[in-house]
Coordinates of all heavy atoms in Angstrom, one line a residue:
S1 N -7.1 1.1 -16.9 CA -7.9 1.2 -15.7 C -9.3 0.5 -15.8 O -10.2 1.0 -15.2 CB -8.0 2.7 -15.2 OG -8.8 3.4 -16.1
C2 N -9.3 -0.6 -16.4 CA -10.6 -1.3 -16.6 C -11.0 -2.0 -15.3 O -12.1 -2.3 -15.1 CB -10.5 -2.4 -17.7 SG -9.4 -3.8 -17.4
G3 N -10.0 -2.3 -14.4 CA -10.3 -2.9 -13.1 C -10.4 -4.4 -13.1 O -10.7 -5.0 -12.1
A4 N -10.0 -5.1 -14.2 CA -10.1 -6.5 -14.3 C -9.1 -7.2 -13.3 O -9.4 -8.2 -12.6 CB -9.8 -7.0 -15.7
C5 N -7.9 -6.6 -13.2 CA -6.9 -7.1 -12.3 C -7.3 -6.9 -10.8 O -7.0 -7.7 -10.0 CB -5.5 -6.4 -12.6 SG -5.6 -4.6 -12.4
V6 N -8.0 -5.8 -10.6 CA -8.5 -5.5 -9.2 C -9.4 -6.6 -8.8 O -9.3 -7.2 -7.6 CB -9.2 -4.2 -9.1 CG1 -9.7 -3.9 -7.7 CG2 -8.2 -3.1 -9.5
K7 N -10.3 -7.0 -9.7 CA -11.3 -8.1 -9.3 C -10.6 -9.4 -9.2 O -11.1 -10.3 -8.5 CB -12.4 -8.1 -10.4 CG -13.2 -6.8 -10.5 CD -14.2 -6.9 -11.6 CE -15.0 -5.6 -11.8 NZ -15.9 -5.6 -13.0
A8 N -9.5 -9.6 -10.0 CA -8.9 -11.0 -10.0 C -8.0 -11.2 -8.8 O -7.8 -12.4 -8.5 CB -8.0 -11.1 -11.3
C9 N -7.6 -10.2 -8.2 CA -6.6 -10.4 -7.0 C -7.4 -10.8 -5.8 O -8.3 -10.1 -5.3 CB -5.9 -9.1 -6.7 SG -4.7 -9.3 -5.3
P10 N -7.2 -12.0 -5.3 CA -7.9 -12.5 -4.1 C -7.6 -11.8 -2.8 O -8.3 -11.9 -1.8 CB -7.5 -14.0 -4.0 CG -6.2 -14.1 -4.6 CD -6.2 -13.0 -5.7
R11 N -6.5 -11.1 -2.8 CA -6.0 -10.4 -1.6 C -6.3 -8.9 -1.6 O -6.0 -8.2 -0.6 CB -4.5 -10.7 -1.3 CG -4.3 -12.1 -0.9 CD -2.9 -12.4 -0.5 NE -2.8 -13.7 0.2 CZ -1.7 -14.2 0.7 NH1 -0.5 -13.5 0.5 NH2 -1.7 -15.4 1.2
G12 N -6.8 -8.4 -2.7 CA -7.2 -7.0 -2.8 C -6.1 -6.1 -2.7 O -6.3 -5.0 -2.1
I13 N -4.9 -6.4 -3.2 CA -3.8 -5.5 -3.1 C -3.7 -4.6 -4.3 O -2.8 -3.7 -4.3 CB -2.4 -6.3 -2.9 CG1 -2.1 -7.1 -4.1 CG2 -2.5 -7.2 -1.7 CD1 -0.7 -7.7 -4.1
I14 N -4.4 -4.8 -5.3 CA -4.4 -4.0 -6.5 C -5.5 -2.9 -6.4 O -6.7 -3.3 -6.1 CB -4.5 -4.8 -7.8 CG1 -3.4 -5.9 -7.9 CG2 -4.4 -3.9 -9.0 CD1 -3.5 -6.7 -9.1
E15 N -5.2 -1.7 -6.6 CA -6.1 -0.6 -6.5 C -6.0 0.3 -7.7 O -5.0 0.5 -8.2 CB -5.8 0.2 -5.2 CG -6.6 1.4 -5.0 CD -6.1 2.3 -3.8 OE1 -5.0 2.0 -3.3 OE2 -6.8 3.2 -3.5
L16 N -7.2 0.9 -8.1 CA -7.2 1.9 -9.1 C -7.0 3.3 -8.4 O -7.8 3.6 -7.6 CB -8.5 1.9 -9.9 CG -8.7 0.7 -10.8 CD1 -10.0 0.8 -11.6 CD2 -7.6 0.5 -11.8
R17 N -6.0 4.0 -8.8 CA -5.7 5.3 -8.2 C -5.6 6.3 -9.3 O -5.3 6.0 -10.5 CB -4.4 5.3 -7.4 CG -4.5 4.4 -6.1 CD -3.2 4.4 -5.4 NE -2.9 5.7 -4.7 CZ -3.3 6.0 -3.5 NH1 -4.0 5.2 -2.8 NH2 -3.0 7.2 -3.0
K18 N -5.7 7.6 -9.0 CA -5.5 8.6 -9.9 C -4.1 8.6 -10.4 O -3.2 8.4 -9.7 CB -5.8 10.0 -9.3 CG -7.3 10.2 -9.0 CD -7.6 11.6 -8.4 CE -9.1 11.8 -8.1 NZ -9.3 13.1 -7.5
K19 N -4.0 8.8 -11.7 CA -2.6 8.7 -12.3 C -1.8 9.9 -11.8 O -0.5 9.7 -11.6 CB -2.7 8.8 -13.8 CG -1.6 8.2 -14.6 CD -1.9 7.9 -16.0 CE -0.8 7.1 -16.7 NZ -1.1 6.9 -18.1
G20 N -2.4 11.0 -11.5 CA -1.6 12.1 -10.9 C -1.0 13.0 -11.9 O -0.8 12.6 -13.1
P21 N -0.7 14.3 -11.5 CA -0.1 15.2 -12.5 C 1.3 14.7 -12.9 O 2.1 14.3 -12.0 CB 0.0 16.5 -11.6 CG -0.1 16.0 -10.2 CD -0.9 14.8 -10.2
K22 N 1.5 14.6 -14.2 CA 2.8 14.1 -14.8 C 3.0 12.7 -14.4 O 4.1 12.2 -14.4 CB 4.0 15.0 -14.3 CG 3.9 16.4 -14.8 CD 5.1 17.2 -14.4 CE 5.1 18.6 -14.9 NZ 6.3 19.4 -14.5
G23 N 1.9 12.0 -14.0 CA 2.0 10.6 -13.7 C 2.6 10.3 -12.3 O 3.0 9.2 -12.0
R24 N 2.7 11.4 -11.5 CA 3.3 11.2 -10.2 C 2.3 10.8 -9.1 O 1.2 11.4 -9.0 CB 4.0 12.6 -9.8 CG 5.1 13.0 -10.7 CD 5.7 14.3 -10.4 NE 6.7 14.7 -11.3 CZ 7.3 15.9 -11.4 NH1 6.9 16.8 -10.5 NH2 8.2 16.2 -12.3
R25 N 2.7 9.8 -8.3 CA 1.8 9.3 -7.3 C 2.6 8.9 -6.1 O 3.8 8.6 -6.2 CB 1.1 8.0 -7.8 CG 0.3 8.2 -9.1 CD -0.3 6.9 -9.6 NE 0.6 5.9 -10.0 CZ 1.3 5.9 -11.1 NH1 1.1 6.9 -12.0 NH2 2.1 4.9 -11.4
I26 N 1.9 8.9 -4.9 CA 2.5 8.5 -3.7 C 1.5 7.6 -3.0 O 0.3 7.9 -2.9 CB 2.9 9.6 -2.7 CG1 3.9 10.5 -3.4 CG2 3.4 9.1 -1.4 CD1 4.3 11.7 -2.5
Y27 N 1.9 6.4 -2.6 CA 0.9 5.5 -2.0 C 1.7 4.5 -1.0 O 2.9 4.4 -1.1 CB 0.2 4.6 -3.0 CG 1.1 3.8 -3.9 CD1 1.4 2.5 -3.6 CD2 1.6 4.4 -5.1 CE1 2.2 1.7 -4.4 CE2 2.4 3.6 -5.9 CZ 2.7 2.3 -5.6 OH 3.5 1.5 -6.4
V28 N 0.9 4.0 -0.1 CA 1.5 3.0 0.8 C 1.5 1.6 0.2 O 0.4 1.1 -0.1 CB 0.7 2.9 2.2 CG1 1.3 1.9 3.1 CG2 0.6 4.3 2.8
S29 N 2.7 1.1 -0.1 CA 2.8 -0.2 -0.8 C 2.7 -1.3 0.2 O 3.6 -2.2 0.2 CB 4.1 -0.2 -1.6 OG 4.1 -1.3 -2.4
C30 N 1.6 -1.4 0.9 CA 1.4 -2.5 1.9 C 0.0 -2.5 2.3 O -0.6 -1.4 2.5 CB 2.4 -2.3 3.1 SG 2.2 -3.7 4.3
V31 N -0.6 -3.7 2.5 CA -1.9 -3.8 3.0 C -2.0 -4.7 4.3 O -3.1 -5.2 4.7 CB -2.9 -4.3 2.0 CG1 -3.0 -3.3 0.8 CG2 -2.5 -5.7 1.4

């Protein structure tokens, strides 16, 4: 979660999110 990929993406589709309990996450996979 260093954020280097977030800065590198010109379209801003990469986001740092909480890993979540047991690694479980829900997110909208579209911008």
Side-chain angles (χ1 to χ4, degrees):
S1 68
C2 69
C5 57
V6 177
K7 298 176 183 177
C9 180
R11 291 190 166 176
I13 66 170
I14 305 180
E15 175 190 7
L16 291 181
R17 293 180 70 90
K18 291 182 179 180
K19 205 165 188 178
K22 297 182 180 180
R24 297 174 183 174
R25 303 179 295 282
I26 297 177
Y27 59 93
V28 180
S29 189
C30 181
V31 296

